[in-house]
């Protein structure tokens, strides 16, 4: 019996599952999942080929449809998120668009958190209107607003929590109740937490997805995404859409994610421990006007964060008393933190959402969503925390 399969045991701890769940049944008993760098797979016979295409045989056909390295990653993420299966895709945006196109029909309506990753909103409001998709973006931290936004054609409730970049937290259990009552599909972008810190399917969501570019891969060297539905019917629909859109992952990309995934727990443990120290440093700094970090009591949803997340994560948003001018000065003067978008890697990154990740969101929508001009987003890495703080301290003093 394959040793990796033994470890699929639900009793295993999360870090044990990171190392031993998933795996692959290869003839040489390799400790890691090999890279099946092939576009196609040969059949033993014409009958076997026909059986594969008819779905009567589990054999591989073509990498856009399925590949052992990619499938190993999909299985492992499905285990970690307690879902039916995983659909790996080429990026986090491919995950969002596969969900939109796979589950919405002409005239359907989506309700979503207003402060979400900018392009995930932009594509819906600026491009998918051509296909008759309708959308309403609201502050989902106030769940009463969700019920008010529901229309007869509402199909999906799409939540990002913590939200990028405001760090606002939405109550997933309350959302699941609303979704169930109104027959909406609850989709959760779990990128900021990873399955280590939050498991939306366990809280009642129907579909969870990730930009694996971030914590899951963790090393800032690839772009990737994954969708994990709770049930087979949804999995089949999304897998089919991914295959036909052609936004599949590449086997080498999957190998790198499998490799990064093994250390997800220890990377997040360290980064979030540092993030709390950095957040406390910023909170007490005279030049800091405000800060939002789920691990600080000052966060408006501190209690909720404690209930639905297993840790506070490593993302911090804050503003300086000198507004945008002071923010720009800080961004130009940090030396250790890289002035770069993205997050969830081993290196500390700093960026200005209003002019970078969320620059395409209209000024009015940015203001409504709380993406203010002074907002600086910090993604804490795993460097020595004293160096991260010293870097910020020095840059703030200039
Ligand atoms: N969802 C969230 C919450 C994200 O932060 C991102 C990317 C995506 C989806 C899309 O994933 P991708 O296609 O890039 O893999 N967030 C980015 C950010 O905050 N800075 O750069 C990219």
């Amino acid at each position: 019996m394959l040793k990796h399969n033994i470890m699929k045991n639900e009793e295993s701890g999360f870090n044990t599952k990171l190392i031993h769940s998933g795996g692959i049944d290869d003839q040489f008993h390799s400790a890691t999942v090999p890279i099946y760098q092939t576009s196609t797979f040969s059949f033993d016979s014409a009958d076997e080929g026909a059986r594969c295409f008819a779905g009567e045989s589990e054999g591989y056909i073509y990498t856009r449809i399925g590949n052992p390295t990619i499938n190993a990653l999909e299985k492992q993420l499905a285990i970690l998120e307690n879902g039916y299966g995983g659909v790996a895709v080429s990026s986090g945006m491919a995950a969002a668009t596969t969900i939109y196109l796979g589950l919405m029909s002409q005239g359907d309506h989506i309700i979503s958190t207003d402060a979400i990753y900018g392009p995930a909103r932009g594509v819906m409001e600026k491009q998918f209107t051509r296909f008759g998709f309708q959308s309403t973006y609201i502050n989902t931290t106030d769940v009463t607003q969700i019920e008010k936004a529901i229309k007869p054609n509402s199909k999906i409730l799409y939540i990002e929590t913590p939200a990028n970049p405001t760090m606002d937290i939405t109550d997933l259990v309350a959302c699941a109740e609303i979704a169930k009552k109104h027959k909406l599909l609850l989709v959760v972008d779990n990128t900021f937490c990873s399955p280590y810190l939050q498991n939306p399917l366990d809280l009642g969501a129907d579909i969870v997805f990730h930009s694996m570019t971030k914590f899951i891969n963790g090393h800032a060297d690839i772009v990737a995404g994954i969708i994990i539905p709770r049930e087979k019917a949804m999995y089949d629909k999304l897998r089919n859409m991914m295959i036909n859109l052609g936004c599949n992952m590449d086997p080498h990309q999957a190998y790198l994610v499998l490799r990064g995934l093994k250390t997800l727990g220890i990377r997040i443990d360290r980064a979030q421990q540092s993030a709390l120290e950095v957040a406390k440093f910023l909170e007490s700094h005279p030049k800091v006007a405000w800060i939002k970090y789920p691990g600080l009591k000052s966060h408006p949803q501190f209690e909720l964060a404690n209930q639905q997340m297993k840790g506070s994560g490593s993302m911090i948003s804050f503003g300086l008393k000198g507004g945008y001018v002071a923010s720009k000065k800080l961004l130009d003067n940090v030396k250790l933190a890289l002035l770069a978008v993205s997050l969830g890697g081993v290196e500390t990154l700093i960026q200005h959402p209003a002019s970078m990740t969320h620059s395409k969101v209209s000024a009015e929508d940015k203001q409504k969503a709380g993406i203010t001009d002074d907002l600086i987003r910090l993604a804490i890495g795993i460097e020595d925390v004293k160096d991260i703080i010293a870097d910020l301290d020095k840059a703030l003093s200039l």
Side-chain angles (χ1 to χ4, degrees), residues 12 25 32 61 66 83 160 163 198 278 301 308 319-320 383 394:
S12 307
D25 201 359
T32 61
I61 298 173
E160 193 180 291
Q198 184 168 269
V278 173
Q301 294 102 23
Q308 72 183 21
L320 296 178
E383 304 93 338
K394 177 90 194 298

Side-chain angles (χ1 to χ4, degrees), residues 43 85 149 195 202 245 277:
F43 309 116
D202 292 351
L245 287 174
E277 281 190 51

Side-chain angles (χ1 to χ4, degrees), residues 89-96 115-120 158 160-165 189-193 209-214 222-225 315 340-343 349 351 353 356-358 377:
V89 287
S90 56
S91 69
M93 274 307 293
I116 60 168
Y117 176 57
Y158 179 112
E160 193 180 291
T161 181
N164 182 1
D189 182 339
N190 203 23
T191 300
F192 267 37
C193 284
F209 80 92
H210 296 270
S211 163
M212 296 199 291
T213 316
K214 312 296 173 350
I222 56 102
V223 170
M315 299 299 295
V341 298
S342 203
L343 57 116
L349 305 179
Q351 70 119 351
M356 296 177 186
T357 44
H358 295 69
R377 195 189 75 185

Side-chain angles (χ1 to χ4, degrees), residues 124-291:
M124 181 55 75
E125 289 189 315
K126 295 191 184 115
Q127 294 179 354
F128 288 166
T129 45
R130 283 190 288 121
F131 308 142
F133 293 177
Q134 297 171 20
S135 55
T136 304
Y137 289 87
I138 51 167
N139 179 351
T140 52
T141 61
D142 174 6
V143 287
T144 60
Q145 283 201 35
I146 300 175
E147 292 221 81
K148 285 188 201 141
I150 295 172
K151 302 203 250 177
N153 57 340
S154 296
K155 183 83 186 274
I156 292 180
L157 175 58
Y158 179 112
I159 302 291
E160 193 180 291
T161 181
N164 182 1
T166 57
M167 298 306 295
D168 286 336
I169 314 268
T170 295
D171 186 335
L172 290 177
V173 170
C175 285
E177 278 168 19
I178 293 172
K180 203 167 168 201
K181 184 167 145 204
H182 296 274
K183 297 195 167 40
L184 307 177
L185 289 170
L186 177 59
V187 173
V188 179
D189 182 339
N190 203 23
T191 300
F192 267 37
C193 284
S194 91
Y196 188 56
L197 295 184
Q198 184 168 269
N199 302 112
L201 299 182
D202 292 351
L203 302 176
D206 298 290
I207 294 166
V208 59
F209 80 92
H210 296 270
S211 163
M212 296 199 291
T213 316
K214 312 296 173 350
F215 292 99
I216 291 176
N217 177 60
H219 293 77
D221 50 10
I222 56 102
V223 170
I226 194 153
I227 311 166
I228 304 139
R230 185 218 299 267
E231 283 169 11
K232 183 178 185 309
M234 212 53 62
Y235 169 85
D236 288 344
K237 265 192 190 176
L238 291 163
R239 179 147 212 102
N240 204 19
M241 182 51 72
M242 177 280 288
I243 291 168
N244 292 326
L245 287 174
C247 57
N248 59 287
M249 195 179 230
D250 177 82
H252 191 257
Q253 203 183 1
Y255 167 79
L256 285 171
V257 181
L258 281 163
R259 178 165 136 151
L261 182 59
K262 289 179 201 277
T263 55
L264 178 71
I266 56 173
R267 282 188 282 106
I268 291 190
D269 281 346
R270 181 178 170 94
Q272 72 180 355
Q273 198 182 342
S274 299
L276 181 60
E277 281 190 51
V278 173
K280 283 182 180 162
F281 160 77
L282 288 172
E283 192 170 42
S284 62
H285 196 284
K287 287 193 179 168
V288 173
W290 60 270
I291 174 162

Side-chain angles (χ1 to χ4, degrees), residues 264-333:
L264 178 71
I266 56 173
R267 282 188 282 106
I268 291 190
D269 281 346
R270 181 178 170 94
Q272 72 180 355
Q273 198 182 342
S274 299
L276 181 60
E277 281 190 51
V278 173
K280 283 182 180 162
F281 160 77
L282 288 172
E283 192 170 42
S284 62
H285 196 284
K287 287 193 179 168
V288 173
W290 60 270
I291 174 162
K292 265 211 216 146
Y293 176 65
L296 290 180
K297 288 211 176 78
S298 57
H299 190 292
Q301 294 102 23
F302 174 74
E303 298 295 334
L304 175 61
N306 259 316
Q307 276 164 33
Q308 72 183 21
M309 292 164 65
K310 295 168 186 160
S312 309
S314 53
M315 299 299 295
I316 301 171
S317 285
F318 66 102
L320 296 178
K321 287 181 182 155
Y324 182 42
V325 175
S327 300
K328 257 203 322 199
K329 200 165 145 205
L330 174 68
L331 296 175
D332 285 337
N333 284 315

